[in-house]
Amino acid sequence: MRRLIPTYCCALLLLLLPCLLHGAERLRERVYLSTDSEVYVAGDAVWMSAWCVDAATGALSTFSKIAYVEVHSASGLVQTAKIALNGGRGAGRLILPDTLPTGNYRILCFTRLGASETGFDPLDGARTISVVNTFSADRVPDGVRIVPHAPAAAPAADQGGLEIGAEPAASGGIARIRVTNRGMQAAGFSLRVRHDDGIPAPAGGRIGDFVAQNRRLPAPAGFAADVVPEYEGEIIRARVTGTDEAGRRAMDGKYAFLSSPGSGENLYTEAIAPDGTVTFFTTNIFGSQNMFLEIENPGRDNVCHLEIESPFPDLSPGEIPPLQLSADYAQALELRKLAMQLERNFDADTLYDALPVHEHRVFDERDRTRYILDDYTRFPVMEELFVEFIHEVRVRRVDGRPQIQVSTTDYSGHRSFPQGMALVLLDGIPVPDHAKILAYDPLLVEHIDIYSRTFFFGARSFSGIVNFVTYKGNLPSMQFEDNVRIVDFQGCSLPLAYTCEGVGAKYPDYRQTLYWHPMLSLAPGESMEIECKTPAYSGRFEVFAEGLTAGGQAVSARTALEVVR
């Protein structure tokens, strides 16, 4: 999405990018994913922190703005997620389906640019997790071995200069943990405090191994020429369906809209290509959304619609080692099962801290004129609003069809109506046929926002925007054409930290994770102290931090926190 940028500049940039990236030193992106644990029960949340690096230098890559996460079993893809990247760093979480059979799973994380490399190894930066389904006896085929006592994996040695200290704390109280950067470079890291219940983690998945592997990468064999790097955000591809080849060709050059209900921030429009495809250049869409896909004026005899193509290539997870399961873990797994159920049923907003999101602002409130309709006489006909008191908007007939126009004001204060078409929205969703909005019941509308300047959306421009916002915010009573499709869209996971600051007395406290923060940083010689609430039970908890320095060196440190009654 390139608003307020001339179309020819965007086209030139897209033409130059492949040339720049196909040079001798083409960027080779790799992604490392840190998680809050390596062992889960089915239905758990997996908390993630991502580092996207330039494999040639080891430093963070600031290019790609989104990373893709795939969770695989030996039988195939079972879960996906998207992580927004800002300066090479990102965070999110995914929920493991509660139907997953017991076994080991592999998590792959990559950018579209990185995966475009010929011979790209998706196991570079991958990690293996164990999942136990405490509700079902199902197991991954040939993926579980019953052993009397599985040996615990030896933890890796600390590296990179991070130092962690934690004093014993009383159950139901506050634990204080101090992290110090003794190194010579700034370090960014994730930090977790989690119950050490003795269940061994699968081998691998260490950031030191990731850094070492990147240093040994062979020379690139080539890159896919048709991959457009996602330097602004996710590139969403859709295809015209529901019609024949002639119908798809008839859509060539027509415009398609992608939008979600709300303020209009998630609004994109692009032209349909001759092969019936359309590519939306977004600046990342967050959260699960109901996305509207609409073709503008497809023609009465051509009933067709758009379908979004999956961005997940379903990469090979390689050979996944079997899970070694022992009856010794039964009590610990029951505790995890209870904690997972209680956490999912508890008010999540009191547990999670939303981290800053790199937002784009399409509409500047300083340019907005808002009319709250309850402040005026209510009229039963929409067009009467523009006649009686909303003087920035008028309706004219163009080629026999009604067209809503928005006035602009020049430097002398003179108001005029340009001949260009305004963009009309209902709860943030485009309504290209202005006759529909003129026939809409104004008593359903709470307020009308008007933006009186020219907006550029891709190769399209509009002379002003009018957004009709209803009381319910979900387009009540609006009837759309057959070419409109509403689809469930998986946007980028919201970056969250888990501090449990809001855990109250009514919550039966069997938490496994006491603290998780995906994006902390310390300058050389700097220290920080964090506080986390301890659970109602006593036990040993692992405090673990891992990350990268500004120069791309691995850092990690761990210690034990004793919680006593």
Side-chain angles (χ1 to χ4, degrees):
M1 177 174 59
R2 296 163 187 80
R3 298 171 174 83
L4 306 180
I5 300 178
T7 301
Y8 66 85
C9 291
C10 303
L12 181 61
L13 185 58
L14 285 175
L15 288 173
L16 288 176
L17 271 172
C19 299
L20 294 173
L21 292 170
H22 276 80
E25 298 299 329
R26 176 164 176 170
L27 182 62
R28 306 176 71 186
E29 288 184 333
R30 296 294 186 270
V31 183
Y32 179 79
L33 199 68
S34 175
T35 58
D36 69 308
S37 180
E38 292 82 25
V39 181
Y40 299 90
V41 297
D44 256 338
V46 178
W47 300 79
M48 302 175 291
S49 180
W51 286 263
C52 178
V53 304
D54 177 353
T57 64
L60 290 174
S61 170
T62 61
F63 197 78
S64 290
K65 295 300 186 292
I66 185 170
Y68 298 91
V69 180
E70 295 182 349
V71 182
H72 290 261
S73 72
S75 303
L77 184 65
V78 299
Q79 185 61 292
T80 59
K82 301 171 185 175
I83 296 178
L85 298 173
N86 185 18
R89 293 286 284 117
R93 69 169 184 155
L94 62 82
I95 305 297
L96 296 171
D98 53 18
T99 56
L100 285 184
T102 296
N104 279 343
Y105 293 78
R106 183 152 286 154
I107 304 181
L108 311 179
C109 190
F110 51 91
T111 65
R112 185 168 290 176
L113 177 61
S116 71
E117 184 177 330
T118 302
F120 167 73
D121 184 2
L123 299 186
D124 187 7
R127 65 190 305 110
T128 304
I129 62 171
S130 298
V131 179
V132 180
N133 195 318
T134 53
F135 299 97
S136 167
D138 293 342
R139 298 175 180 173
V140 172
D142 301 321
V144 178
R145 292 179 183 172
I146 303 301
V147 296
H149 308 286
D158 295 351
Q159 56 185 327
L162 279 186
E163 182 180 283
I164 304 178
E167 297 294 330
S171 60
I174 298 294
R176 291 176 174 83
I177 299 165
R178 188 172 184 83
V179 186
T180 303
N181 181 6
R182 302 291 187 190
M184 302 300 292
Q185 297 183 12
F189 56 94
S190 65
L191 180 66
R192 74 186 188 198
V193 183
R194 188 172 176 89
H195 185 218
D196 183 4
D197 51 16
I199 302 177
R206 295 170 177 172
I207 198 163
D209 297 335
F210 170 76
V211 171
Q213 175 65 28
N214 284 335
R215 291 173 179 166
R216 296 192 298 266
L217 282 178
F223 300 86
D226 60 344
V227 172
V228 179
E230 294 176 305
Y231 61 94
E232 282 191 314
E234 182 180 3
I235 297 175
I236 300 174
R237 293 173 172 82
R239 181 176 296 275
V240 175
T241 62
T243 186
D244 56 15
E245 184 64 28
R248 284 192 291 273
R249 287 197 301 269
M251 294 299 100
D252 180 18
K254 290 185 177 292
Y255 283 92
F257 290 99
L258 174 73
S259 56
S260 65
S263 63
E265 297 297 328
N266 291 329
L267 172 61
Y268 305 90
T269 180
E270 298 289 347
I272 300 176
D275 62 354
T277 62
V278 58
T279 303
F280 298 99
F281 295 87
T282 81
T283 49
N284 281 337
I285 298 170
F286 286 87
S288 297
Q289 302 271 355
N290 286 327
M291 299 301 294
F292 284 66
L293 290 160
E294 180 175 2
I295 301 172
E296 185 178 18
N297 301 323
R300 294 183 180 275
D301 299 328
N302 196 358
V303 180
C304 55
H305 58 274
L306 292 171
E307 289 185 0
I308 294 178
E309 298 177 355
S310 173
F312 296 97
D314 194 359
L315 300 174
S316 171
E319 184 178 353
I320 303 176
L323 168 64
Q324 299 187 61
L325 194 60
S326 169
D328 295 346
Y329 313 144
Q331 184 176 356
L333 290 171
E334 282 298 317
L335 184 62
R336 289 193 180 208
K337 170 185 174 181
L338 177 60
M340 180 272 294
Q341 290 177 290
L342 291 171
E343 186 173 310
R344 290 182 65 176
N345 292 329
F346 197 66
D347 183 5
D349 290 339
T350 65
L351 296 178
Y352 312 150
D353 298 325
L355 301 179
V357 173
H358 182 65
E359 296 182 345
H360 66 284
R361 302 301 302 174
V362 180
F363 306 136
D364 191 335
E365 293 184 359
R366 294 172 296 181
D367 298 333
R368 183 188 69 194
T369 302
R370 171 170 290 181
Y371 287 89
I372 300 174
L373 300 191
D374 284 341
D375 292 344
Y376 302 86
T377 300
R378 299 303 298 246
F379 295 95
V381 178
M382 189 71 74
E383 194 167 350
E384 291 181 344
L385 305 181
F386 312 135
V387 174
E388 297 297 334
F389 59 89
I390 302 181
H391 303 302
E392 294 89 347
V393 177
R394 74 178 184 182
V395 180
R396 290 294 182 267
R397 299 283 169 178
V398 178
D399 297 328
R401 298 178 63 85
Q403 186 180 98
I404 293 176
Q405 299 176 348
V406 177
S407 68
T408 59
T409 304
D410 59 22
Y411 292 108
S412 65
H414 176 70
R415 178 182 297 157
S416 62
F417 285 89
Q419 296 303 309
M421 184 177 181
L423 176 61
V424 174
L425 310 174
L426 179 63
D427 288 331
I429 303 299
V431 184
D433 185 356
H434 294 183
K436 283 185 171 294
I437 204 71
L438 293 174
Y440 194 70
D441 185 357
L443 299 180
L444 299 175
V445 178
E446 180 187 42
H447 64 267
I448 298 175
D449 289 336
I450 302 168
Y451 300 87
S452 300
R453 62 180 177 85
T454 300
F455 286 80
F456 291 89
F457 293 80
R460 191 79 177 275
S461 66
F462 294 94
S463 298
I465 295 178
V466 186
N467 188 19
F468 297 81
V469 181
T470 66
Y471 288 98
K472 294 184 177 181
N474 59 0
L475 304 89
S477 302
M478 172 57 74
Q479 298 296 319
F480 290 95
E481 302 294 340
D482 291 339
N483 68 85
V484 176
R485 287 293 184 271
I486 305 173
V487 299
D488 293 330
F489 180 79
Q490 178 188 22
C492 294
S493 176
L494 290 170
L496 301 169
Y498 181 96
T499 61
C500 294
E501 292 181 356
V503 174
K506 295 182 179 180
Y507 179 55
D509 197 353
Y510 295 99
R511 287 171 292 121
Q512 297 289 294
T513 298
L514 304 189
Y515 184 92
W516 163 259
H517 201 297
M519 289 191 288
L520 297 173
S521 61
L522 285 174
E526 187 180 12
S527 296
M528 67 169 57
E529 184 174 280
I530 68 155
E531 295 183 351
C532 61
K533 294 186 177 181
T534 57
Y537 62 95
S538 60
R540 180 184 176 91
F541 291 78
E542 179 197 52
V543 185
F544 179 61
E546 66 174 346
L548 292 173
T549 67
Q553 301 297 316
V555 294
S556 65
R558 73 181 71 227
T559 192
L561 167 67
E562 297 291 342
V563 175
V564 296
R565 289 188 181 275

